Amino acid sequence: MNETKKIPIVTKVLDANSRIANEIRHLFQHKNILAINLISSPGSGKTTFLETVLPILSRHKIRCGVIAADIATTRDADRLSKFEIPVLQITTETFGGACHLEAAPVRQALEVFPLDKVDLLFIENVGNLVCPAEFDIGEALRIVFLSVTEGEDKPLKYPLAFHVADCAVITKIDLIEHLKFSKQKLYDSIRKINPKLVCFEVSCFQSIGIDQFVGWLLQQHSNKSELLKHEHEHVHSAHEHKHSH
Ligand SMILES: Nc1nc2c(ncn2[C@@H]2O[C@H](COP(=O)(O)OP(=O)(O)O)[C@@H](O)[C@H]2O)c(=O)[nH]1
Ligand SMILES: [Mg+2]
């Protein structure tokens, strides 16, 4: 191996977040849990989406759990508590009000989370399209949400979130007729950042695109053993990108 290739590896080993994230990843491997990090700006519809897909996944006999992260409230966990699945809220206020999840609070949450009761764990990150994209939390998949009301240029403005995602869910598609929103421009933006990104257009209010998404997710779940073997291939690029705070 030549010298130039060694440097990023050393950086990664020394990076505390990556180290904890890898511990978490090994825990998920050991427990055979597919963990999915949900990233978006506030209000793009992550919790509503979970409220929509959780009952469907339960009918497919997938045992789900949710860790929801918020700066100050437990509102999302409260909304999800009706499903009788393990739900835990992290309020980052305790960790200095961070605008994103880091691996350390996730590891702490996992110490008390009933991991033996879940096959699939959704981790709803703090609403923010910038910082959450930079932190590996040991997940196997990342989903970025973008509601049509946010505008079709957001993938270009927040490239990292789209670059590190495995799937994009375009939400509130029922509102598109009220907006000047060009799907063509959206997909042009997405393709510039991440040509392979799997995209779904959904409306939770009108049940559009939900079955297609669930189909994809079930496929990922059945391929879990393969997904859990890999380190997140985007970890590196995320950490090369300097955190601005
Ligand atoms: N029109 C429409 N509104 C939605 C849809 N999904 C969520 N919303 C609304 O968007 C707002 C924010 O949703 P929420 O799930 O709390 O977003 P989060 O902050 O990303 O978790 C709420 O007022 C929802 O009712 C949808 O499919 N269509
Ligand atoms: Mg939410």
Side-chain angles (χ1 to χ4, degrees):
M1 186 187 284
N2 68 38
E3 285 305 309
T4 50
K5 279 191 182 155
K6 276 184 191 165
I7 295 162
I9 296 167
V10 172
T11 311
K12 188 173 174 207
V13 169
L14 294 176
D15 184 281
N17 190 76
S18 293
R19 218 165 37 225
I20 300 171
N22 280 332
E23 280 175 33
I24 295 173
R25 203 179 329 277
H26 290 142
L27 178 67
F28 288 145
Q29 276 166 1
H30 175 65
K31 299 281 185 185
N32 199 27
I33 294 171
L34 182 66
I36 308 181
N37 186 359
L38 310 180
I39 296 177
S40 83
S41 54
S44 59
K46 298 178 296 301
T47 311
T48 308
F49 190 72
L50 288 176
E51 290 174 301
T52 307
V53 301
L54 285 170
I56 304 174
L57 293 169
S58 153
R59 288 199 287 280
H60 283 278
K61 308 280 179 235
I62 310 276
R63 300 176 309 153
C64 293
V66 181
I67 293 179
D70 212 345
I71 293 178
T73 79
T74 58
R75 289 177 62 86
D76 288 351
D78 296 343
R79 281 167 67 184
L80 297 168
S81 60
K82 59 180 177 267
F83 294 117
E84 292 174 5
I85 59 167
V87 176
L88 189 145
Q89 180 86 42
I90 298 176
T91 45
T92 62
E93 218 167 33
T94 337
F95 302 92
C99 56
H100 58 271
L101 269 179
E102 291 185 22
V106 173
R107 182 174 59 180
Q108 210 171 315
L110 293 174
E111 282 168 17
V112 294
F113 198 88
L115 290 173
D116 292 328
K117 293 196 174 140
V118 302
D119 308 310
L120 197 160
L121 178 66
F122 291 105
I123 306 176
E124 179 175 341
N125 216 307
V126 181
N128 179 343
L129 208 43
V130 184
C131 310
E134 302 183 22
F135 289 87
D136 180 14
I137 51 172
E139 75 275 36
L141 290 174
R142 290 182 180 183
I143 301 180
V144 63
F145 291 74
L146 179 73
S147 55
V148 289
T149 50
E150 292 167 66
E152 68 274 272
D153 56 352
K154 295 306 170 289
L156 294 176
K157 288 189 167 189
Y158 304 100
L160 188 64
F162 290 83
H163 177 67
V164 299
D166 301 286
C167 169
V169 176
I170 315 305
T171 60
K172 311 189 192 179
I173 205 81
D174 54 287
L175 295 178
I176 203 163
E177 59 186 283
H178 305 290
L179 308 166
K180 286 186 180 147
F181 183 95
S182 158
K183 280 192 199 174
Q184 183 63 50
K185 280 188 192 158
L186 171 71
Y187 288 114
D188 286 348
S189 309
I190 289 177
R191 296 294 162 232
K192 271 189 197 146
I193 308 296
N194 187 347
K196 286 192 225 151
L197 191 60
V198 177
C199 300
F200 296 96
E201 296 172 14
V202 310
S203 165
C204 292
F205 287 10
Q206 295 184 356
S207 284
I208 299 168
I210 305 296
D211 291 345
Q212 287 87 334
F213 172 83
V214 170
W216 174 81
L217 187 57
L218 292 174
Q219 229 172 20
Q220 304 306 307
H221 187 259
S222 59
N223 190 31
K224 184 157 73 168
S225 53
E226 271 306 306
L227 286 173
L228 291 178
K229 270 187 213 158
H230 301 301
E231 290 235 329
H232 204 291
E233 59 189 60
H234 304 307
V235 168
H236 232 94
S237 49
H239 280 271
E240 280 161 7
H241 188 97
K242 283 235 177 333
H243 189 53
S244 54
H245 291 265

